[in-house]
Amino acid sequence: MRNIVLTGLPGSGKTTLGLAAAELAGLDFRDMDAEIERAAGMSVSEIFAAWGEARFREMETEEARRAAEATGAVISTGGGVVLREDNMRLLAKNGFIIFIDRDPTAIAGDVECAGRPLLAEGAARLFGISKERRPLYLKSAHAALANDGGFQEALGKLMLLVNGEHPGKGFGVIGDPIGHTRSPEIHKAVFAAHGLGLAEGSGDAAAWDYKAMHVKRGGLGAFVRAARESGLRGFNVTIPHKQDIMDFLDDIDEEARLCGAVNTVVIKEGRLTGHNTDMGGLQEAIRDAGFDYGGSRVTVLGTGGAAAGVAYKAAACGAARVRALGRRKERAEALAANVRRVAPGIAEEAGADMGTGAGKRGGLARRGEVLGLEMSPDALAEAAADTDILVNATPLGMEGAGDFESLGFLEALPRGALVCDLVYGRSKTALLKKAEEIGIKGINGLGMLVYQALLADELYMGRTLDRRRVAATIIGRFSR
Ligand code: NAP
């Protein structure tokens, strides 16, 4: 693994950005100046005072040689490292060098930098150094990262680079947190099954690479700008960005617009188009289990992005009744009202009246109903008794997210019902175990995850795939 080597002026953010990036990516962090200080037993200023700059530069080259031996580390360099070409040659051997380009005026005005020895001599010295070194930073770097916005913006750009997403390459998934994601395994398996991205070191391998990329809330704008510039070919989107990403796209397809969430973005000729393959993915997994939304009574637990998509898709596919149960009643009601407004099947059947809003049951009764309810024990039991397909679209059951207080409501389900738990971290959540115990069929979120990835890959690859066959292989491998 190549090192990520950060260069730039003192105060440009090399150490703070480097530390944060190393932590997010699970890499080692090395601060060259701190290593020199540790070895010498004195600070850089003391070394300068005692032995002079020439000796310090010798020590810096020795440290560059040691640092270059590292693999997969984020290395923060001293501001003057570029003064010796030898240093940069050493660091470039196994390093991707990123110049953190921060305006000296911003550094001089930054209270965090006020105590730096360089600024003690006045801002004029910093401007002089910048004039002398900027050409050297630019010349020796593989990429320049403009640190001209906030910290999160710079970190978003850096993460894209840290994850190997520099010009002209591959795919990935963005989210926060992102450590748990299985998307890289799945997409790489799909690409490999179609002979793509196999030759290590070739252009094809890079073009079909797939990485997890940690993008924090608020970092989306910076990420999208960097993605456009880098030549990234597409990316998947997970919590918490599925709704927010829509503000940054050039086009959004109809299903994603109606679901109110995007999980797949295709980048072509600089344009970003958003799609939603989650709901199609779940539908495929439900079909694999021998069920269909058409004519079914569907109950979804949760009122977030996934729940809204399930409710919309079920309604659009002609479900006999759709209930959304949430811990906040107003959110459940809003979700149901929105589905009643947008689901094409309902609007069509109900006529012009139904297109205008909730509550006009006359039209809906012919086709079905979409209801939003509070997730109380009574409402759960009542809904379960009138359900063919129950979908858990809350994080309950996910490791660390808590669990249902009681699963007694499952007893009310008709025996021929299906329970789908979108949680995919564990093969059997408490919900699925209980369903099995009482003889009700259950599926976890893995099928949905794999199918949504396959549908995304069809968009990335521009062709239809033998989804059932590939999904069966991947699900089989992951379930072992
Ligand atoms: P989201 O937008 O954050 O929505 C989460 C929903 O769960 C919200 O309605 C939230 O209620 C509710 N919730 C959270 N904690 C709860 C608790 N302790 N008790 C009751 N309700 C609670 O997330 P999402 O994108 O819809 O995802 C939901 C779940 O689906 C996640 O577990 C996710 O991993 C899973 N998922 C799986 C796949 C797959 O491929 N298998 C795809 C997408 C999503 P409030 O609104 O009141 O906070």
Side-chain angles (χ1 to χ4, degrees), residues 1 28 60 118 124 143 166-167 174 196 203 218 275 291 295 297 305 319 328 359 363 385 391 411 417 447 451 453 480:
M1 269 167 85
D28 289 332
E60 192 172 46
L118 192 63
H166 35 84
I174 61 166
L196 299 167
H275 306 266
F291 287 74
R297 295 162 297 171
R328 286 188 279 163
V391 181
E411 305 273 2
Y451 274 114
R480 276 200 288 274

Side-chain angles (χ1 to χ4, degrees), residues 239 242-243 278 301-307 326-328 331 375 392-396 398 401 421-424 445-446 448-450 452:
I239 289 177
K242 287 185 185 184
Q243 278 97 29
D278 275 338
L301 310 183
T303 56
R327 61 180 169 181
R328 286 188 279 163
R331 283 206 71 180
M375 206 165 81
N392 173 32
T394 74
L396 291 172
M398 212 158 88
D421 202 335
L422 300 197
V423 171
Y424 63 83
L446 186 57
M448 172 182 181
L449 183 74
V450 171
Q452 64 77 26

Side-chain angles (χ1 to χ4, degrees), residues 25-26 68 73 87 93 95 172 204 219 313 332 335 349 358 363 402 436 449 461 472:
N87 294 344
K93 262 200 224 158
D204 180 61
K313 189 81 178 173
L335 183 157
E349 176 77 12
E436 187 178 45
L449 183 74
M461 292 159 72

